[in-house]
PDB file of all heavy atoms in Angstrom:
ATOM      1  N   ALA A 297      14.710  10.269  17.321  1.00 98.00           N
ATOM      2  CA  ALA A 297      13.669   9.351  16.949  1.00 98.00           C
ATOM      3  C   ALA A 297      13.495   9.105  15.429  1.00 98.00           C
ATOM      4  O   ALA A 297      13.296   7.901  14.958  1.00 98.00           O
ATOM      5  CB  ALA A 297      12.324   9.834  17.607  1.00 98.00           C
ATOM      6  N   ASN A 298      13.612  10.170  14.699  1.00 98.00           N
ATOM      7  CA  ASN A 298      13.434  10.106  13.272  1.00 98.00           C
ATOM      8  C   ASN A 298      14.606   9.174  12.650  1.00 98.00           C
ATOM      9  O   ASN A 298      14.361   8.498  11.725  1.00 98.00           O
ATOM     10  CB  ASN A 298      13.406  11.461  12.583  1.00 98.00           C
ATOM     11  CG  ASN A 298      12.286  12.307  12.984  1.00 98.00           C
ATOM     12  OD1 ASN A 298      11.233  11.715  13.332  1.00 98.00           O
ATOM     13  ND2 ASN A 298      12.223  13.562  12.889  1.00 98.00           N
ATOM     14  N   LYS A 299      15.704   9.466  13.182  1.00 98.00           N
ATOM     15  CA  LYS A 299      16.974   8.648  12.660  1.00 98.00           C
ATOM     16  C   LYS A 299      16.722   7.075  12.940  1.00 98.00           C
ATOM     17  O   LYS A 299      16.988   6.320  12.130  1.00 98.00           O
ATOM     18  CB  LYS A 299      18.222   9.237  13.477  1.00 98.00           C
ATOM     19  CG  LYS A 299      19.512   8.300  13.065  1.00 98.00           C
ATOM     20  CD  LYS A 299      19.959   8.697  11.710  1.00 98.00           C
ATOM     21  CE  LYS A 299      21.239   7.824  11.380  1.00 98.00           C
ATOM     22  NZ  LYS A 299      21.507   8.019   9.940  1.00 98.00           N
ATOM     23  N   LEU A 300      16.203   6.754  14.122  1.00 98.00           N
ATOM     24  CA  LEU A 300      15.990   5.436  14.480  1.00 98.00           C
ATOM     25  C   LEU A 300      14.854   4.885  13.707  1.00 98.00           C
ATOM     26  O   LEU A 300      14.876   3.659  13.370  1.00 98.00           O
ATOM     27  CB  LEU A 300      15.627   5.246  15.989  1.00 98.00           C
ATOM     28  CG  LEU A 300      16.865   5.734  16.942  1.00 98.00           C
ATOM     29  CD1 LEU A 300      16.349   5.659  18.382  1.00 98.00           C
ATOM     30  CD2 LEU A 300      18.008   4.600  16.790  1.00 98.00           C
ATOM     31  N   ALA A 301      13.877   5.761  13.387  1.00 97.00           N
ATOM     32  CA  ALA A 301      12.736   5.116  12.544  1.00 97.00           C
ATOM     33  C   ALA A 301      13.194   4.773  11.224  1.00 97.00           C
ATOM     34  O   ALA A 301      12.651   3.829  10.629  1.00 97.00           O
ATOM     35  CB  ALA A 301      11.727   6.274  12.402  1.00 97.00           C
ATOM     36  N   ALA A 302      14.222   5.342  10.632  1.00 96.00           N
ATOM     37  CA  ALA A 302      14.773   4.969   9.411  1.00 96.00           C
ATOM     38  C   ALA A 302      15.313   3.621   9.417  1.00 96.00           C
ATOM     39  O   ALA A 302      15.561   2.932   8.442  1.00 96.00           O
ATOM     40  CB  ALA A 302      15.771   6.017   8.916  1.00 96.00           C
ATOM     41  N   GLU A 303      15.611   3.173  10.626  1.00 97.00           N
ATOM     42  CA  GLU A 303      16.171   1.868  10.850  1.00 97.00           C
ATOM     43  C   GLU A 303      15.112   0.930  11.539  1.00 97.00           C
ATOM     44  O   GLU A 303      15.508  -0.057  12.260  1.00 97.00           O
ATOM     45  CB  GLU A 303      17.418   1.902  11.774  1.00 97.00           C
ATOM     46  CG  GLU A 303      18.460   2.848  11.317  1.00 97.00           C
ATOM     47  CD  GLU A 303      19.114   2.415  10.020  1.00 97.00           C
ATOM     48  OE1 GLU A 303      19.144   1.206   9.646  1.00 97.00           O
ATOM     49  OE2 GLU A 303      19.714   3.312   9.217  1.00 97.00           O
ATOM     50  N   ASN A 304      13.875   1.259  11.267  1.00 97.00           N
ATOM     51  CA  ASN A 304      12.726   0.346  11.793  1.00 97.00           C
ATOM     52  C   ASN A 304      12.586   0.419  13.387  1.00 97.00           C
ATOM     53  O   ASN A 304      11.902  -0.547  13.858  1.00 97.00           O
ATOM     54  CB  ASN A 304      12.885  -1.160  11.354  1.00 97.00           C
ATOM     55  CG  ASN A 304      12.825  -1.213   9.834  1.00 97.00           C
ATOM     56  OD1 ASN A 304      12.062  -0.445   9.212  1.00 97.00           O
ATOM     57  ND2 ASN A 304      13.638  -2.104   9.246  1.00 97.00           N
ATOM     58  N   ILE A 305      13.111   1.305  14.035  1.00 98.00           N
ATOM     59  CA  ILE A 305      12.902   1.329  15.524  1.00 98.00           C
ATOM     60  C   ILE A 305      11.739   2.302  15.869  1.00 98.00           C
ATOM     61  O   ILE A 305      11.666   3.386  15.304  1.00 98.00           O
ATOM     62  CB  ILE A 305      14.163   1.817  16.179  1.00 98.00           C
ATOM     63  CG1 ILE A 305      15.498   1.205  15.720  1.00 98.00           C
ATOM     64  CG2 ILE A 305      14.089   1.867  17.671  1.00 98.00           C
ATOM     65  CD1 ILE A 305      15.594  -0.278  16.141  1.00 98.00           C
ATOM     66  N   ILE A 306      10.983   1.722  16.768  1.00 98.00           N
ATOM     67  CA  ILE A 306       9.718   2.481  17.131  1.00 98.00           C
ATOM     68  C   ILE A 306       9.940   3.358  18.363  1.00 98.00           C
ATOM     69  O   ILE A 306      10.491   2.998  19.372  1.00 98.00           O
ATOM     70  CB  ILE A 306       8.586   1.553  17.272  1.00 98.00           C
ATOM     71  CG1 ILE A 306       8.334   0.870  15.929  1.00 98.00           C
ATOM     72  CG2 ILE A 306       7.357   2.213  17.926  1.00 98.00           C
ATOM     73  CD1 ILE A 306       7.278  -0.147  15.927  1.00 98.00           C
ATOM     74  N   SER A 307       9.536   4.688  18.315  1.00 98.00           N
ATOM     75  CA  SER A 307       9.711   5.562  19.406  1.00 98.00           C
ATOM     76  C   SER A 307       8.406   6.165  19.736  1.00 98.00           C
ATOM     77  O   SER A 307       7.538   6.248  18.863  1.00 98.00           O
ATOM     78  CB  SER A 307      10.659   6.637  19.109  1.00 98.00           C
ATOM     79  OG  SER A 307      11.917   6.194  18.623  1.00 98.00           O
ATOM     80  N   MET A 308       8.436   6.713  20.965  1.00 98.00           N
ATOM     81  CA  MET A 308       7.278   7.520  21.317  1.00 98.00           C
ATOM     82  C   MET A 308       7.679   8.801  22.057  1.00 98.00           C
ATOM     83  O   MET A 308       8.603   8.657  22.925  1.00 98.00           O
ATOM     84  CB  MET A 308       6.397   6.767  22.263  1.00 98.00           C
ATOM     85  CG  MET A 308       4.961   7.204  22.406  1.00 98.00           C
ATOM     86  SD  MET A 308       4.064   5.939  23.211  1.00 98.00           S
ATOM     87  CE  MET A 308       2.476   6.634  23.304  1.00 98.00           C
ATOM     88  N   LEU A 309       7.289  10.010  21.519  1.00 98.00           N
ATOM     89  CA  LEU A 309       7.696  11.249  22.158  1.00 98.00           C
ATOM     90  C   LEU A 309       6.472  11.876  22.788  1.00 98.00           C
ATOM     91  O   LEU A 309       5.510  12.143  22.077  1.00 98.00           O
ATOM     92  CB  LEU A 309       8.155  12.092  20.963  1.00 98.00           C
ATOM     93  CG  LEU A 309       9.659  12.688  21.080  1.00 98.00           C
ATOM     94  CD1 LEU A 309      10.108  12.496  19.639  1.00 98.00           C
ATOM     95  CD2 LEU A 309       9.570  14.120  21.398  1.00 98.00           C
ATOM     96  N   ILE A 310       6.639  12.142  24.055  1.00 98.00           N
ATOM     97  CA  ILE A 310       5.459  12.495  24.790  1.00 98.00           C
ATOM     98  C   ILE A 310       5.673  13.854  25.571  1.00 98.00           C
ATOM     99  O   ILE A 310       6.727  14.036  26.184  1.00 98.00           O
ATOM    100  CB  ILE A 310       5.139  11.508  25.873  1.00 98.00           C
ATOM    101  CG1 ILE A 310       4.664  10.236  25.199  1.00 98.00           C
ATOM    102  CG2 ILE A 310       4.046  11.994  26.856  1.00 98.00           C
ATOM    103  CD1 ILE A 310       4.369   9.075  26.244  1.00 98.00           C
ATOM    104  N   HIS A 311       4.821  14.823  25.336  1.00 98.00           N
ATOM    105  CA  HIS A 311       4.836  16.100  26.052  1.00 98.00           C
ATOM    106  C   HIS A 311       4.311  15.680  27.492  1.00 98.00           C
ATOM    107  O   HIS A 311       3.081  15.574  27.556  1.00 98.00           O
ATOM    108  CB  HIS A 311       4.075  17.082  25.261  1.00 98.00           C
ATOM    109  CG  HIS A 311       4.140  18.489  26.044  1.00 98.00           C
ATOM    110  ND1 HIS A 311       3.159  19.082  26.702  1.00 98.00           N
ATOM    111  CD2 HIS A 311       5.241  19.263  26.180  1.00 98.00           C
ATOM    112  CE1 HIS A 311       3.598  20.182  27.255  1.00 98.00           C
ATOM    113  NE2 HIS A 311       4.839  20.294  26.955  1.00 98.00           N
ATOM    114  N   PHE A 312       5.221  15.575  28.315  1.00 98.00           N
ATOM    115  CA  PHE A 312       4.831  15.028  29.729  1.00 98.00           C
ATOM    116  C   PHE A 312       3.737  15.726  30.436  1.00 98.00           C
ATOM    117  O   PHE A 312       2.833  15.226  30.946  1.00 98.00           O
ATOM    118  CB  PHE A 312       6.091  14.853  30.547  1.00 98.00           C
ATOM    119  CG  PHE A 312       5.759  14.071  31.806  1.00 98.00           C
ATOM    120  CD1 PHE A 312       5.475  12.709  31.755  1.00 98.00           C
ATOM    121  CD2 PHE A 312       5.606  14.790  33.034  1.00 98.00           C
ATOM    122  CE1 PHE A 312       5.179  11.933  32.839  1.00 98.00           C
ATOM    123  CE2 PHE A 312       5.320  13.966  34.157  1.00 98.00           C
ATOM    124  CZ  PHE A 312       4.961  12.585  34.113  1.00 98.00           C
ATOM    125  N   PRO A 313       3.817  17.098  30.527  1.00 97.00           N
ATOM    126  CA  PRO A 313       2.790  17.827  31.206  1.00 97.00           C
ATOM    127  C   PRO A 313       1.369  17.655  30.565  1.00 97.00           C
ATOM    128  O   PRO A 313       0.381  17.446  31.359  1.00 97.00           O
ATOM    129  CB  PRO A 313       3.144  19.317  31.100  1.00 97.00           C
ATOM    130  CG  PRO A 313       4.607  19.288  30.874  1.00 97.00           C
ATOM    131  CD  PRO A 313       4.946  18.053  30.147  1.00 97.00           C
ATOM    132  N   SER A 314       1.289  17.581  29.261  1.00 97.00           N
ATOM    133  CA  SER A 314      -0.077  17.265  28.636  1.00 97.00           C
ATOM    134  C   SER A 314      -0.500  15.699  28.946  1.00 97.00           C
ATOM    135  O   SER A 314      -1.643  15.601  29.117  1.00 97.00           O
ATOM    136  CB  SER A 314       0.001  17.416  27.147  1.00 97.00           C
ATOM    137  OG  SER A 314       0.615  18.597  26.832  1.00 97.00           O
ATOM    138  N   PHE A 315       0.378  14.985  28.944  1.00 96.00           N
ATOM    139  CA  PHE A 315       0.147  13.540  29.273  1.00 96.00           C
ATOM    140  C   PHE A 315      -0.446  13.401  30.692  1.00 96.00           C
ATOM    141  O   PHE A 315      -1.459  12.762  30.805  1.00 96.00           O
ATOM    142  CB  PHE A 315       1.473  12.746  29.082  1.00 96.00           C
ATOM    143  CG  PHE A 315       1.407  11.220  29.491  1.00 96.00           C
ATOM    144  CD1 PHE A 315       0.670  10.392  28.811  1.00 96.00           C
ATOM    145  CD2 PHE A 315       2.144  10.784  30.537  1.00 96.00           C
ATOM    146  CE1 PHE A 315       0.558   9.066  29.005  1.00 96.00           C
ATOM    147  CE2 PHE A 315       2.159   9.461  30.782  1.00 96.00           C
ATOM    148  CZ  PHE A 315       1.304   8.553  30.106  1.00 96.00           C
ATOM    149  N   ALA A 316       0.204  14.134  31.533  1.00 95.00           N
ATOM    150  CA  ALA A 316      -0.336  14.104  32.994  1.00 95.00           C
ATOM    151  C   ALA A 316      -1.743  14.681  33.149  1.00 95.00           C
ATOM    152  O   ALA A 316      -2.548  14.044  33.700  1.00 95.00           O
ATOM    153  CB  ALA A 316       0.578  14.904  33.911  1.00 95.00           C
ATOM    154  N   VAL A 317      -2.012  15.720  32.336  1.00 94.00           N
ATOM    155  CA  VAL A 317      -3.329  16.352  32.446  1.00 94.00           C
ATOM    156  C   VAL A 317      -4.374  15.272  31.809  1.00 94.00           C
ATOM    157  O   VAL A 317      -5.446  15.160  32.252  1.00 94.00           O
ATOM    158  CB  VAL A 317      -3.421  17.677  31.476  1.00 94.00           C
ATOM    159  CG1 VAL A 317      -4.871  18.150  31.294  1.00 94.00           C
ATOM    160  CG2 VAL A 317      -2.609  18.762  32.250  1.00 94.00           C
ATOM    161  N   LYS A 318      -3.962  14.724  30.655  1.00 93.00           N
ATOM    162  CA  LYS A 318      -4.808  13.829  29.997  1.00 93.00           C
ATOM    163  C   LYS A 318      -5.208  12.701  30.979  1.00 93.00           C
ATOM    164  O   LYS A 318      -6.343  12.176  31.013  1.00 93.00           O
ATOM    165  CB  LYS A 318      -4.115  13.158  28.774  1.00 93.00           C
ATOM    166  CG  LYS A 318      -4.871  12.175  27.983  1.00 93.00           C
ATOM    167  CD  LYS A 318      -4.054  11.837  26.715  1.00 93.00           C
ATOM    168  CE  LYS A 318      -4.393  10.555  26.088  1.00 93.00           C
ATOM    169  NZ  LYS A 318      -5.871  10.568  25.600  1.00 93.00           N
ATOM    170  N   LEU A 319      -4.221  12.101  31.645  1.00 92.00           N
ATOM    171  CA  LEU A 319      -4.558  11.041  32.653  1.00 92.00           C
ATOM    172  C   LEU A 319      -5.391  11.485  33.772  1.00 92.00           C
ATOM    173  O   LEU A 319      -6.296  10.827  34.129  1.00 92.00           O
ATOM    174  CB  LEU A 319      -3.170  10.452  33.150  1.00 92.00           C
ATOM    175  CG  LEU A 319      -2.154   9.804  32.136  1.00 92.00           C
ATOM    176  CD1 LEU A 319      -0.961   9.275  32.961  1.00 92.00           C
ATOM    177  CD2 LEU A 319      -2.857   8.745  31.340  1.00 92.00           C
ATOM    178  N   LYS A 320      -5.143  12.704  34.269  1.00 90.00           N
ATOM    179  CA  LYS A 320      -5.897  13.165  35.429  1.00 90.00           C
ATOM    180  C   LYS A 320      -7.348  13.409  35.046  1.00 90.00           C
ATOM    181  O   LYS A 320      -8.263  13.105  35.735  1.00 90.00           O
ATOM    182  CB  LYS A 320      -5.321  14.555  35.875  1.00 90.00           C
ATOM    183  CG  LYS A 320      -4.313  14.451  36.948  1.00 90.00           C
ATOM    184  CD  LYS A 320      -3.941  15.810  37.444  1.00 90.00           C
ATOM    185  CE  LYS A 320      -2.439  16.055  37.037  1.00 90.00           C
ATOM    186  NZ  LYS A 320      -1.913  17.455  37.199  1.00 90.00           N
ATOM    187  N   ASN A 321      -7.512  13.827  33.804  1.00 88.00           N
ATOM    188  CA  ASN A 321      -8.915  14.096  33.355  1.00 88.00           C
ATOM    189  C   ASN A 321      -9.755  12.789  33.108  1.00 88.00           C
ATOM    190  O   ASN A 321     -10.912  12.837  33.183  1.00 88.00           O
ATOM    191  CB  ASN A 321      -8.981  14.849  31.922  1.00 88.00           C
ATOM    192  CG  ASN A 321      -8.566  16.252  32.134  1.00 88.00           C
ATOM    193  OD1 ASN A 321      -8.581  16.737  33.298  1.00 88.00           O
ATOM    194  ND2 ASN A 321      -8.224  16.882  31.015  1.00 88.00           N
ATOM    195  N   SER A 322      -9.188  11.669  32.990  1.00 83.00           N
ATOM    196  CA  SER A 322      -9.899  10.394  32.953  1.00 83.00           C
ATOM    197  C   SER A 322      -9.506   9.565  34.108  1.00 83.00           C
ATOM    198  O   SER A 322      -9.665   8.325  34.010  1.00 83.00           O
ATOM    199  CB  SER A 322      -9.784   9.837  31.559  1.00 83.00           C
ATOM    200  OG  SER A 322      -8.369   9.827  31.349  1.00 83.00           O
ATOM    201  N   ILE A 323      -9.214  10.109  35.291  1.00 77.00           N
ATOM    202  CA  ILE A 323      -8.860   9.209  36.404  1.00 77.00           C
ATOM    203  C   ILE A 323     -10.005   8.386  36.739  1.00 77.00           C
ATOM    204  O   ILE A 323     -11.230   8.761  36.754  1.00 77.00           O
ATOM    205  CB  ILE A 323      -8.508  10.295  37.575  1.00 77.00           C
ATOM    206  CG1 ILE A 323      -7.666   9.542  38.609  1.00 77.00           C
ATOM    207  CG2 ILE A 323      -9.649  10.981  38.214  1.00 77.00           C
ATOM    208  CD1 ILE A 323      -7.004  10.448  39.632  1.00 77.00           C
ATOM    209  N   GLY A 324      -9.627   7.174  37.234  1.00 73.00           N
ATOM    210  CA  GLY A 324     -10.678   6.225  37.593  1.00 73.00           C
ATOM    211  C   GLY A 324     -11.473   5.488  36.514  1.00 73.00           C
ATOM    212  O   GLY A 324     -12.251   4.650  36.831  1.00 73.00           O
ATOM    213  N   THR A 325     -11.039   5.776  35.359  1.00 74.00           N
ATOM    214  CA  THR A 325     -11.723   5.071  34.217  1.00 74.00           C
ATOM    215  C   THR A 325     -10.528   4.119  33.641  1.00 74.00           C
ATOM    216  O   THR A 325      -9.421   4.338  33.940  1.00 74.00           O
ATOM    217  CB  THR A 325     -12.143   6.021  33.024  1.00 74.00           C
ATOM    218  OG1 THR A 325     -11.047   6.537  32.407  1.00 74.00           O
ATOM    219  CG2 THR A 325     -12.963   7.035  33.512  1.00 74.00           C
ATOM    220  N   SER A 326     -10.978   3.204  32.849  1.00 74.00           N
ATOM    221  CA  SER A 326      -9.978   2.185  32.383  1.00 74.00           C
ATOM    222  C   SER A 326      -9.388   2.758  31.054  1.00 74.00           C
ATOM    223  O   SER A 326      -8.524   2.088  30.430  1.00 74.00           O
ATOM    224  CB  SER A 326     -10.506   0.781  32.185  1.00 74.00           C
ATOM    225  OG  SER A 326     -11.667   0.872  31.381  1.00 74.00           O
ATOM    226  N   GLN A 327      -9.926   3.889  30.523  1.00 76.00           N
ATOM    227  CA  GLN A 327      -9.635   4.485  29.324  1.00 76.00           C
ATOM    228  C   GLN A 327      -8.168   4.592  29.130  1.00 76.00           C
ATOM    229  O   GLN A 327      -7.575   4.544  27.948  1.00 76.00           O
ATOM    230  CB  GLN A 327     -10.344   5.802  29.261  1.00 76.00           C
ATOM    231  CG  GLN A 327     -10.332   6.689  28.031  1.00 76.00           C
ATOM    232  CD  GLN A 327     -11.073   7.858  28.305  1.00 76.00           C
ATOM    233  OE1 GLN A 327     -11.948   7.907  29.249  1.00 76.00           O
ATOM    234  NE2 GLN A 327     -10.776   8.883  27.685  1.00 76.00           N
ATOM    235  N   ASN A 328      -7.416   4.882  30.107  1.00 78.00           N
ATOM    236  CA  ASN A 328      -5.953   5.176  29.880  1.00 78.00           C
ATOM    237  C   ASN A 328      -5.120   3.976  29.982  1.00 78.00           C
ATOM    238  O   ASN A 328      -3.858   3.951  29.545  1.00 78.00           O
ATOM    239  CB  ASN A 328      -5.497   6.046  31.024  1.00 78.00           C
ATOM    240  CG  ASN A 328      -6.029   7.486  30.848  1.00 78.00           C
ATOM    241  OD1 ASN A 328      -6.059   7.968  29.816  1.00 78.00           O
ATOM    242  ND2 ASN A 328      -6.629   8.028  31.933  1.00 78.00           N
TER     243      ASN A 328
END
Side-chain angles (χ1 to χ4, degrees):
N298 291 338
K299 175 74 183 169
L300 294 173
E303 307 292 336
N304 295 329
I305 310 289
I306 296 175
S307 308
M308 199 165 180
L309 237 136
I310 296 179
H311 184 246
F312 188 75
S314 310
F315 177 63
V317 168
K318 184 176 159 59
L319 297 183
K320 268 184 252 171
N321 287 344
S322 45
I323 199 166
T325 68
S326 57
Q327 182 181 336
N328 291 313

